[in-house]
Amino acid sequence: MNAVAIDFEQFVQINHSEPVTTSEFVAKAFGKEHKNILRKIEEIFTQVPDSFGERNFTLLEKERKNNLGFFVKNKIYELTKDGFILLVMGFTGKNAMSIKIAYINAFNTIAEKLRQIQAQQHVSISHLISKEQADTIQRAVEERSQRTGEPYQKIYAGLHTYLNIDSYRAMPVEHYTAALKYLESIPNAPDMFKSAVVENNVLRTINADGRWLVIVENNRVTYAENINGYSCIKADVFKKLLIQTKQQAEYLVELAKRMRVIHGECDSSRLDRPIEELHPKIII
């Protein structure tokens, strides 16, 4: 087999953070029958300590169809670089040496790529916020929801969009302060990070025409919202109005019943009792 025509990096894979190959790949690269490679590996087991064999040769089973269409399990081995070198040490034949060198170079190339990936991951992880910082952001989200009535999902979505991140738990540490300031700000105004307290405790001018709902606590603006198009009414007044509306509806129903008495459709005794006795909660 021509070693130049083989991409040996396809024969080397990563498993559990270590470059490995398989007995099938070795057989293909050296142009040998797989059963002979298996026999050679099992011969090695009789000559090396068990710890070496277990560490560098892992038995796997691969399911495939046979010529009759039935699924059968075939035995293969997964080899580390050390296991591969020990296996092919005595291989001879045309291009055997160049194949060995190409295969070992592939192991080294994959190992270097793995090292670079692990180094990048280490740098990335070390620059992310800690679990304690993530928990602080979660509490800040809960506090903002209680303060503004916004649902959690909306707050998280706004935070992720503002910082251009996928998840606050995988947030670069340099975004941490900005995240907290965003969560302390009022809805729809993430740039208003500074305190709303101004000289003489006078609220800053809101640069927009219209009607605004502003909540101030301890001379500090905690919430502001443009309420153009909405009617404002005190909650207790609204509840009283709602009760009176229901009572008036009952009053009208009673009048309708009394009017039907003329046509003999209702008990005339209702005419002798004041409406207030029949509906004591009615306000006239």
Side-chain angles (χ1 to χ4, degrees):
M1 178 174 289
N2 187 356
V4 178
I6 300 176
D7 181 5
F8 286 94
E9 288 188 32
Q10 294 182 358
F11 288 179
V12 180
Q13 304 166 341
I14 296 175
N15 187 18
H16 298 297
S17 300
E18 183 177 19
V20 295
T21 189
T22 68
S23 53
E24 285 186 320
F25 286 154
V26 173
K28 182 177 180 180
F30 286 90
K32 297 180 179 294
E33 291 189 25
H34 186 235
K35 63 180 181 181
N36 293 332
I37 298 296
L38 294 177
R39 186 179 302 114
K40 180 64 177 176
I41 292 173
E42 289 167 356
E43 180 182 328
I44 290 174
F45 287 158
T46 65
Q47 302 172 0
V48 299
D50 291 343
S51 58
F52 183 92
E54 292 172 358
R55 184 170 62 252
N56 296 288
F57 298 90
T58 302
L59 177 61
L60 306 174
E61 288 185 336
K62 188 173 182 179
E63 194 175 69
R64 65 182 65 185
K65 280 186 178 181
N66 61 15
N67 295 333
L68 299 177
F70 296 106
F71 284 97
V72 295
K73 292 182 178 180
N74 290 338
K75 182 167 62 175
I76 65 173
Y77 281 94
E78 186 177 78
L79 291 68
T80 65
K81 179 182 177 181
D82 289 346
F84 166 79
I85 292 174
L86 186 60
L87 172 64
V88 303
M89 189 178 296
F91 284 7
T92 59
K94 185 180 180 180
N95 295 325
M97 184 59 67
S98 61
I99 294 173
K100 294 177 185 178
I101 292 173
Y103 223 126
I104 292 173
N105 286 339
F107 266 105
N108 294 337
T109 299
I110 298 300
E112 176 59 22
K113 289 181 179 179
L114 178 61
R115 187 195 66 76
Q116 293 175 359
I117 292 173
Q118 291 173 333
Q120 291 174 356
Q121 289 177 340
H122 176 73
V123 171
S124 299
I125 291 174
S126 65
H127 284 76
L128 299 181
I129 61 173
S130 65
K131 181 180 182 301
E132 290 74 18
Q133 290 173 317
D135 291 342
T136 299
I137 289 178
Q138 183 177 354
R139 288 193 296 270
V141 169
E142 294 171 356
E143 291 172 359
R144 172 162 173 159
S145 178
Q146 294 173 0
R147 186 177 74 247
T148 67
E150 296 173 279
Y152 291 167
Q153 185 176 6
K154 178 183 176 182
I155 298 174
Y156 281 122
L159 177 64
H160 295 163
T161 301
Y162 181 74
L163 296 177
N164 193 27
I165 57 177
D166 294 327
S167 171
Y168 74 96
R169 292 192 177 278
M171 178 193 305
V173 70
E174 58 266 25
H175 291 343
Y176 178 67
T177 300
L180 291 180
K181 288 183 177 180
Y182 173 89
L183 295 172
E184 293 169 359
S185 69
I186 62 177
N188 303 321
D191 294 328
M192 296 178 63
F193 287 156
K194 294 182 179 180
S195 170
V197 177
V198 295
E199 294 182 4
N200 300 324
N201 296 328
V202 178
L203 178 67
R204 70 171 68 180
T205 301
I206 299 178
N207 296 320
D209 295 334
R211 299 163 63 230
W212 287 78
L213 171 63
V214 179
I215 299 176
V216 180
E217 296 178 0
N218 298 323
N219 295 329
R220 188 180 297 272
V221 173
T222 60
Y223 183 76
E225 182 178 354
N226 191 311
I227 56 173
N228 277 341
Y230 293 90
S231 296
C232 294
I233 187 171
K234 291 184 177 180
D236 57 341
V237 175
F238 175 76
K239 291 179 180 179
K240 185 176 181 180
L241 178 61
L242 183 62
I243 292 173
Q244 290 179 347
T245 301
K246 292 181 179 179
Q247 292 173 344
Q248 290 171 358
E250 294 177 359
Y251 179 64
L252 292 174
V253 170
E254 180 61 28
L255 288 178
K257 290 180 179 179
R258 295 192 176 199
M259 291 176 66
R260 289 200 297 271
V261 170
I262 301 173
H263 304 289
E265 298 175 2
C266 183
D267 183 0
S268 60
S269 63
R270 298 183 71 90
L271 297 174
D272 300 326
R273 300 179 60 188
I275 292 179
E276 291 85 348
E277 293 184 7
L278 297 173
H279 302 276
K281 293 184 180 180
I282 290 180
I283 301 175
I284 300 178

